[in-house]
Amino acid sequence: MKILTRRNAIPLGAIALVLTFPRLVAAQDRLDTGDTAWMLTSSLLVLFMTLPGLSLFYAGLVRAKNVLSVMMQCFAITCMVTVLWTVYGYGLAFGDGGSLNSVIGSGKLFLSGVWPDSVHGTIPESVFQMFQLTFAIITPALIVGAFAERMKFSAVLLFMALWVTLVYTPVAHWVWGGGFLGEMGVRDFAGGIVVHINAGVAALVLCILLGKRRGFPSNTMAPNSLVLTVVGTSMLWVGWFGFNAGSALAADGSAGMAMAVTHISAAVGGMTWMLIEWSNHGKPSVLGIATGSIAGLAAITPAAGFVGPAGGLMIGLASGALCYWGANGLKRRFGYDDSLDVFGVHGIGGGVGTLLTAVFASKAWGGFENNLSIGSLLGLQAMGIVVTTIYSGILTFVLFKLVDAMVGLRVTPEEEGLGLDLSLHDERGFNL
């Protein structure tokens, strides 16, 4: 007869816990504390990208009379999208849509079913939904840069509420939530399609429909503080490690390599933009190297978990060159006023990275996929870009017309001349 000692006895408290909370014990067996800690950190890093990273990046780029307006828009979007995500957004993006699951999710209203013991892989579902929420926050916030200095605040809130609901959540579901693009094999590790192309296309449509700022392009509209822009860029760069490496959803080798190639691409993108600008204009600019690094970050996003260092180098090089052309040559050629180059950097950068994923994910090019048909995957990636571009473009157009009819979109010429800080918020960004 075996005698229970202190070394092998089962504590009565543990027996009671097993009997009372069987789901909790089972969940704990599946959870990984290291993965959970990393994903908690990644969620904070991605939120840090919007508040304060993107806010400061945009605040430095606009004129001094509009500093608070772009910061207010980023802050308000963060609050509003959090509410919408909690009420129904998470369910639309990641819920089980039943017979409609290929196009949209459903359920999980008010995060129903997301309990302390609910798990997603090796992390709590509460952490997973929080991580995904930070993506839903930054995507519409990126679009702010396209219509900076000329849209009503009320219109921004209404438009973004509708856009997140009707554009962002379906596209996120198509790619990440069990929808048809993901099921077909489209690769988007951290948001080249869902975030950057989606936001970039919407930004282009909005800035064209809304029209140019008064005086553009004849009047000088120089950034009010490149110091703020560089600080914001630095915060975005650091936060992007949560964006890309966090998308591995684990503290593992995939996350480590995603972090490495993210850093490489950002550095090469910044250097490439700087050298092109230096060659063309005789002097390198701080704005140029900062913007180039963001281009490199946007482009590596869809590829981060699939490519190696060589892929990071080449994607950074391609994005630095092509996004430079997009923010300069393309915009001048067609004359649209994308105030802070959202399409030129994020739309084009996301597209470049999405396509090059098909090449550099192959083991032959330093990636991690054996027997990869580059041609077949290139077709799938192109299809993902085309589907998202058409859907985001058409819905953005429809929502623009709807919101314009409801509340009007553009501020008056007098309000635009005075600046949105005073005319819409009765505050000044700088009291000097």
Side-chain angles (χ1 to χ4, degrees):
M1 177 178 176
K2 187 175 181 180
I3 300 174
L4 293 177
T5 66
R6 288 183 61 86
R7 290 176 60 88
N8 56 26
I10 302 175
L12 292 177
I15 295 174
L17 186 64
V18 171
L19 294 175
T20 309
F21 301 111
R23 285 197 308 159
L24 181 60
V25 173
Q28 286 179 333
D29 288 342
R30 297 167 58 192
L31 288 178
D32 184 280
T33 55
D35 292 347
T36 301
W38 168 237
M39 293 310 301
L40 287 166
T41 303
S42 294
S43 300
L44 295 176
L45 286 170
V46 183
L47 182 60
F48 183 72
M49 291 173 68
T50 304
L51 300 174
L54 187 67
S55 297
L56 289 173
F57 179 72
Y58 281 172
L61 290 175
V62 297
R63 289 169 289 179
K65 61 184 179 180
N66 296 307
V67 169
L68 288 182
S69 69
V70 292
M71 299 189 82
M72 178 66 168
Q73 288 165 12
C74 289
F75 207 105
I77 285 170
T78 300
C79 297
M80 181 181 68
V81 173
T82 298
V83 174
L84 299 180
W85 187 260
T86 301
V87 176
Y88 60 79
Y90 177 59
L92 292 178
F94 293 96
D96 183 358
S99 60
L100 296 177
N101 196 59
S102 63
V103 292
I104 196 66
S106 62
K108 296 188 181 292
L109 294 175
F110 297 94
L111 299 182
S112 60
V114 180
W115 306 104
D117 58 320
S118 303
V119 295
H120 183 96
T122 60
I123 64 174
E125 189 178 9
S126 59
V127 177
F128 175 76
Q129 72 82 25
M130 179 64 195
F131 180 66
Q132 294 299 337
L133 166 59
T134 60
F135 283 68
I137 286 169
I138 198 169
T139 306
L142 289 173
I143 303 172
V144 164
F147 56 72
E149 305 189 305
R150 59 196 190 276
M151 187 183 280
K152 291 181 181 178
F153 182 65
S154 58
V156 172
L157 292 181
L158 179 56
F159 177 86
M160 290 306 179
L162 294 170
W163 192 88
V164 167
T165 303
L166 299 175
V167 181
Y168 179 81
T169 57
V171 175
H173 184 79
W174 296 348
V175 179
W176 294 332
F180 70 98
L181 290 179
E183 291 298 306
M184 292 177 68
V186 172
R187 310 288 205 280
D188 186 6
F189 190 73
I193 293 173
V194 177
V195 176
H196 297 290
I197 293 173
N198 204 6
V201 170
L204 181 62
V205 172
L206 277 175
C207 73
I208 291 173
L209 293 176
L210 195 60
K212 303 172 186 178
R213 288 167 290 177
R214 294 178 66 220
F216 179 89
S218 56
N219 294 348
T220 300
M221 297 183 179
N224 81 89
S225 175
L226 286 176
V227 171
L228 291 181
T229 295
V230 172
V231 170
T233 303
S234 304
M235 292 175 173
L236 284 167
W237 190 328
V238 172
W240 226 290
F241 293 132
F243 203 87
N244 287 1
S247 291
L249 300 181
D252 58 12
S254 178
M257 183 56 73
M259 179 176 284
V261 298
T262 296
H263 188 68
I264 291 167
S265 184
V268 175
M271 288 292 292
T272 302
W273 190 301
M274 180 192 74
L275 292 173
I276 294 173
E277 185 179 58
W278 201 344
S279 174
N280 289 344
H281 303 290
K283 294 180 181 179
S285 73
V286 171
L287 177 59
I289 195 171
T291 308
S293 69
I294 298 298
L297 289 165
I300 197 62
T301 295
F306 308 119
V307 306
L313 285 166
M314 296 307 298
I315 290 172
L317 179 65
S319 62
L322 291 173
C323 292
Y324 176 87
W325 165 78
N328 292 279
L330 184 68
K331 186 166 75 170
R332 288 174 185 159
R333 170 68 180 80
F334 290 100
Y336 56 85
D337 185 12
D338 181 358
S339 305
L340 309 183
D341 294 316
V342 181
F343 177 74
V345 173
H346 297 278
I348 292 178
V352 168
T354 299
L355 290 175
L356 291 182
T357 298
V359 177
F360 293 106
S362 170
K363 203 157 190 178
W365 290 90
F368 308 112
E369 296 198 28
N370 289 310
N371 304 316
L372 175 67
S373 172
I374 293 176
S376 297
L377 183 55
L378 192 61
L380 279 174
Q381 297 297 91
M383 185 191 70
I385 292 172
V386 170
V387 168
T388 303
T389 297
I390 293 172
Y391 182 78
S392 182
I394 291 174
L395 264 291
T396 299
F397 178 86
V398 171
L399 294 177
F400 177 96
K401 294 298 184 180
L402 177 64
V403 174
D404 195 26
M406 293 173 66
V407 299
L409 280 155
R410 184 147 186 167
V411 297
T412 66
E414 294 74 23
E415 289 171 330
E416 187 175 344
L418 180 61
L420 304 193
D421 290 0
L422 276 174
S423 62
L424 299 187
H425 306 292
D426 198 26
E427 295 173 303
R428 295 181 185 271
F430 303 105
N431 290 309
L432 301 177

